[in-house]
Amino acid sequence: MSEALVVFSPSGKRGRFALGTPVLQAARELGVDIDSICGGRARCGRCQVEAVEGSFAREHIVSSPDHLSEMSETEHYCLQRGRLEAGNRLSCQAKILGDVRIDVPAGSQVHQQVVRKDYEARDIELDPVIHLYFVEVGQPDMHAATGDLQRLLRALRNQWGLTGLSWDLVLLQELQEALRKGKWQVTVAIRHQHQIIAVWPGFRDRIYGAAIDVGSTTIAVNLCDLGSGEVLASAGVMNPQIRFGEDLMSRVSYAMLNPEGAGQMTAAVRTAVSKLIADTAKQADIAAEEILEITLVGNPVMHHLMLGLDPTPLGTAPFALATDHAVDIRASEIGIELHPNARAYLLPCIAGHVGADTAGVMLAEIPWEREEISLIIDVGTNAEIVLGNRDRLLAASSPTGPAFEGAQISGGQRAAPGAIERVRIDPATLEPRFRVIGCEFWSDQPGFHEAIGEQGVTGICGSGIIEAIACLFLAGLIRPDGSISGDAASRSARLQATDRTFSYLLHDGEPGIVIEQGDVRAIQLAKAALYAGARLLMDHMGIDRVDRIRLAGAFGSHIDVKYAMVLGMIPDCDLDRVSSAGNAAGTGARIALLNRASRAAIETRVRMIEKIETAVDPGFQQHFVDAMGIPHSTQPCPSLAKVVDLPEPDRSVAGRAGGRRQRRAKP
């Protein structure tokens, strides 16, 4: 073997390189974001990477740290002095000796991903599962011997009318010291009006909880005051499991092929959640031990890995869940370091690929209270879709893959400063203009180049690639079947012949950003899967149109709905009835944290949802093929046609634009 395949995460970029090639050189050739201010001279220590151990089915490789050269003297020197993390390598020193998957940690990335899961301010009826009670407890009496716990229970009954209370050993271990430090005055935390879970000396009027959205790409935490409902601090980070696979089925495959794989992913996500909670606690100037309640949402694979459950049954039909009910446990049971008696509540899953994150979205959107029919889509590496109203609700998932997040796109990257996120193309001149994350100017405005500074333009993220392809279609440079047309090559040097296809030069700089035919196909496959899932639910509902569309999730919140419809991601609908739902899953987690009645409501409601399995429904495949056309091969778009001039549909598109149906993936 003279060459080896190198796959970088979290970018997903990959390529074959001659044996002996330094990892940093391979990264630069692929446009992978690795920091190295010393120019690869092994002085700065910023280019650290880690070789991932295990078998990876998607890339058909077995990766190992042994597939890199032995540590150099410089690396040993850095390790001894604490400048190199244990298990990491300096990418400027490590050379490729075999197929390997390389993880680039956040600290080694010049342009770190923007975690776009901000919480959405909204009114929530405040009634948390935990309430505080201040009581004065009778002191011990030689003539009426009763234990500390019994006197506390008597005080709660006499002063607050609370009876039938339960307790556990953790409470008992805290009680004696708290009573004596508080001079027999204590504050008690009672959960669900029946279980004493904490006690503190003296008066206390604030307790804390955290709502956690565990996505396959990002994890977000909102720390809340349970008394006021106020969000005190927020933090987000890329899910470290990306190093084991970019989408969920890659991670399930990793668990199948590697005996320790599931345990590694469980440890990684639990560590990340604990660190994020600690970070938010520090922001709010409290101790993590003051947090008594957390709620979590996530797709079924994240749900199972968070709980330490085997995710592999979710990889094959019938996609059986270990449990589809809500889970209520001690936070310590899943390795989250909080108050020793803190509880964790995981919202219920709906089906094998429709998870607790969708339950959170539903809790935020409450479609069962509407007469009009809503289509709610949580857009990610796997789209989770809910359709219905007060009379009937259906749910499904659809395998969109990582293309919407910039992965597996030639100039693609995840959302980070410098990434192109907005694109417009003049139909007359075929010249582009764009905006990048972190800059308020468009590229054709004065001050743009000064504003982006040395960082420059680094790539294109999901929202940018969607708008670029939609605009190329509207400009006539992409045909309805998705092929890039060379007919206008004489009008613009931006259209470039590449082998038997054409490409479009979006940014002429360093790096150059080019929209290639393969990029268009990757987005077609993703959007066709998304549309097909929605259309399949509409078939089962017996409708041809929906009244409103809500796009949820970090990605769904940052795409322009007009261009999403031009591309054919979603069914035709009045554009003023298509809107963003923000991070609805995270909002649902916050509702469940702050309102105990919402837990019973969502637990009841998810049992009433009809689940449609796209993987086995015969109608999905035809919808998928038809949806490969832009906007669609067969469906008219009357609402969209009112606001944009659409090229004539190509009725032969279904036969030419088809592609293999994607494997199931998940956010």
Side-chain angles (χ1 to χ4, degrees):
M1 180 176 66
S2 59
E3 288 186 332
L5 178 64
V6 183
V7 182
F8 288 92
S9 64
S11 69
K13 294 182 177 179
R14 65 202 67 196
R16 290 195 168 275
F17 295 90
L19 301 186
T21 302
V23 172
L24 183 59
Q25 179 182 329
R28 285 173 171 170
E29 290 185 23
L30 291 173
V32 174
D33 183 26
I34 297 183
D35 197 4
S36 177
I37 64 172
C38 70
R41 296 179 178 87
R43 294 180 180 177
C44 67
R46 295 194 181 187
C47 67
Q48 297 186 34
V49 297
E50 182 180 0
V52 183
E53 178 90 44
S55 298
F56 294 89
R58 171 164 289 184
E59 293 88 10
H60 304 292
I61 66 170
V62 175
S63 173
S64 170
D66 294 337
H67 294 178
L68 297 180
S69 58
E70 293 185 2
M71 288 187 68
S72 66
E73 290 185 10
T74 302
E75 289 176 291
H76 282 295
Y77 178 86
C78 292
L79 183 64
Q80 292 167 4
R81 282 153 182 77
R83 292 167 51 194
L84 181 64
E85 294 284 338
N88 282 6
R89 299 293 304 274
L90 294 180
S91 61
C92 63
Q93 296 286 294
K95 295 180 174 61
I96 299 163
L97 300 182
D99 295 341
V100 64
R101 188 179 182 97
I102 298 290
D103 180 55
V104 184
S108 298
Q109 298 169 23
V110 180
H111 309 104
Q112 296 188 23
Q113 182 183 9
V114 178
V115 177
R116 295 177 158 186
K117 286 193 173 182
D118 299 332
Y119 78 92
E120 189 177 74
R122 63 177 294 166
D123 294 331
I124 299 174
E125 184 179 346
L126 196 59
D127 183 19
V129 296
I130 300 174
H131 291 84
L132 296 179
Y133 298 89
F134 176 73
V135 292
E136 298 182 9
V137 180
Q139 298 185 34
D141 188 338
M142 287 286 293
H143 304 290
T146 54
D148 288 346
L149 177 62
Q150 285 63 47
R151 295 196 309 282
L152 173 66
L153 294 172
R154 183 187 305 153
L156 288 166
R157 182 184 68 238
N158 294 339
Q159 295 169 39
W160 291 100
L162 297 169
T163 59
L165 299 175
S166 61
W167 50 274
D168 58 18
L169 182 59
V170 173
L171 182 282
L172 199 58
Q173 290 168 339
E174 293 180 339
L175 181 59
Q176 292 170 292
E177 182 180 5
L179 284 170
R180 285 154 182 82
K181 276 190 175 181
K183 298 180 180 179
W184 312 104
Q185 295 182 339
V186 293
T187 301
V188 176
I190 298 181
R191 190 171 189 263
H192 284 304
Q193 295 297 306
H194 69 78
Q195 185 173 30
I196 308 173
I197 63 170
V199 59
W200 299 276
F203 177 76
R204 175 183 290 248
D205 62 354
R206 301 190 78 180
I207 50 173
Y208 307 96
I212 303 159
D213 178 6
V214 184
S216 61
T217 302
T218 56
I219 303 172
V221 171
N222 290 309
L223 177 67
C224 300
D225 183 324
L226 296 185
S228 67
E230 178 186 2
V231 176
L232 303 176
S234 300
V237 70
M238 288 194 72
N239 189 329
Q241 291 178 345
I242 285 177
R243 65 200 295 261
F244 303 106
E246 295 158 27
D247 57 56
L248 292 182
M249 285 304 99
S250 294
R251 296 180 206 175
V252 171
S253 174
Y254 184 82
M256 290 176 174
L257 296 174
N258 301 278
E260 304 300 323
Q264 290 174 321
M265 290 186 284
T266 291
V269 71
R270 288 179 176 179
T271 299
V273 168
S274 290
K275 185 179 185 305
L276 279 178
I277 292 175
D279 289 346
T280 56
K282 186 175 181 179
Q283 289 178 45
D285 197 25
I286 68 169
E289 291 74 19
E290 297 181 73
I291 298 171
L292 289 180
E293 185 84 11
I294 61 173
T295 53
L296 298 101
V297 296
N299 57 66
V301 174
M302 292 300 97
H303 172 278
H304 278 42
L305 288 173
M306 194 75 210
L307 290 172
L309 302 172
D310 180 10
T312 58
L314 298 172
T316 55
F319 314 113
L321 293 157
T323 177
D324 56 5
H325 284 214
V327 176
D328 196 337
I329 54 177
R330 276 195 177 88
S332 60
E333 293 182 68
I334 52 174
I336 308 300
E337 299 173 1
L338 307 171
H339 184 281
N341 231 353
R343 296 313 203 262
Y345 175 84
L346 287 81
L347 274 69
C349 290
I350 298 171
H353 286 281
V354 186
D357 49 354
T358 304
V361 170
M362 291 182 61
L363 199 51
E365 289 294 303
I366 49 176
W368 57 82
E369 292 188 358
R370 291 178 174 270
E371 180 67 33
E372 59 191 359
I373 295 178
S374 300
L375 176 64
I376 305 168
I377 306 173
D378 194 346
V379 187
T381 53
N382 198 85
E384 295 178 329
I385 308 166
V386 174
L387 176 72
N389 59 3
R390 64 180 55 173
D391 299 321
R392 187 183 180 195
L393 286 170
L394 297 89
S397 67
S398 204
T400 54
F404 284 155
E405 296 182 345
Q408 300 176 7
I409 300 296
S410 59
Q413 65 169 88
R414 300 187 188 276
I420 295 173
E421 64 170 346
R422 292 281 177 262
V423 176
R424 300 292 182 268
I425 295 174
D426 188 312
T429 66
L430 306 184
E431 284 298 299
R433 54 196 294 262
F434 54 81
R435 283 181 57 177
V436 301
I437 296 174
C439 177
E440 63 181 14
F441 297 105
W442 285 83
S443 59
D444 60 346
Q445 289 180 316
F448 172 78
H449 293 288
E450 291 78 9
I452 61 175
E454 294 183 3
Q455 168 189 274
V457 178
T458 59
I460 186 167
C461 65
S463 60
I465 192 70
I466 284 173
E467 292 188 10
I469 294 174
C471 287
L472 287 171
F473 170 72
L474 292 176
L477 300 182
I478 290 181
R479 300 186 181 100
D481 68 355
S483 60
I484 300 177
S485 170
D487 295 345
S490 60
R491 293 171 49 204
S492 174
R494 291 187 177 275
L495 272 173
Q496 304 171 347
T498 54
D499 296 327
R500 292 180 297 172
T501 62
F502 287 84
S503 62
Y504 178 84
L505 179 62
L506 179 62
H507 171 59
D508 186 7
E510 184 57 44
I513 309 299
V514 177
I515 308 300
E516 299 179 352
Q517 185 64 67
D519 302 332
V520 180
R521 285 289 184 252
I523 293 297
Q524 280 182 278
L525 289 166
K527 74 97 176 181
L530 176 59
Y531 186 102
R535 195 74 207 181
L536 187 65
L537 291 187
M538 293 168 67
D539 286 350
H540 282 267
M541 182 71 78
I543 60 173
D544 289 323
R545 289 182 61 83
V546 296
D547 298 315
R548 64 193 289 267
I549 299 176
R550 295 279 279 167
L551 299 177
F555 175 69
S557 301
H558 288 86
I559 56 178
D560 187 308
V561 297
K562 180 174 80 172
Y563 293 99
M565 194 171 289
V566 168
L567 188 62
M569 289 176 59
I570 52 180
D572 190 65
C573 182
D574 292 339
L575 277 176
D576 59 1
R577 303 286 289 159
V578 184
S579 59
S580 167
N583 180 20
T587 298
R590 197 153 48 90
I591 293 171
L593 178 70
L594 299 174
N595 182 280
R596 58 178 174 170
S598 68
R599 301 187 182 188
I602 195 61
E603 288 173 22
T604 299
R605 189 61 58 175
V606 298
R607 304 279 72 80
M608 301 166 63
I609 297 174
E610 299 173 49
K611 297 89 174 177
I612 308 300
E613 182 50 66
T614 58
V616 296
D617 194 301
F620 181 84
Q621 182 65 41
Q622 187 57 53
H623 282 308
F624 177 82
V625 172
D626 291 343
M628 284 291 291
I630 301 175
H632 195 276
S633 301
T634 59
Q635 290 293 326
C637 305
S639 297
L640 180 61
K642 293 177 183 177
V643 293
V644 295
D645 294 325
L646 293 173
E648 285 298 317
D650 185 345
R651 297 303 177 187
S652 63
V653 111
R656 297 202 312 270
R660 289 185 309 158
R661 179 178 170 186
Q662 287 183 303
R663 291 189 306 159
R664 175 174 291 280
K666 193 97 164 106

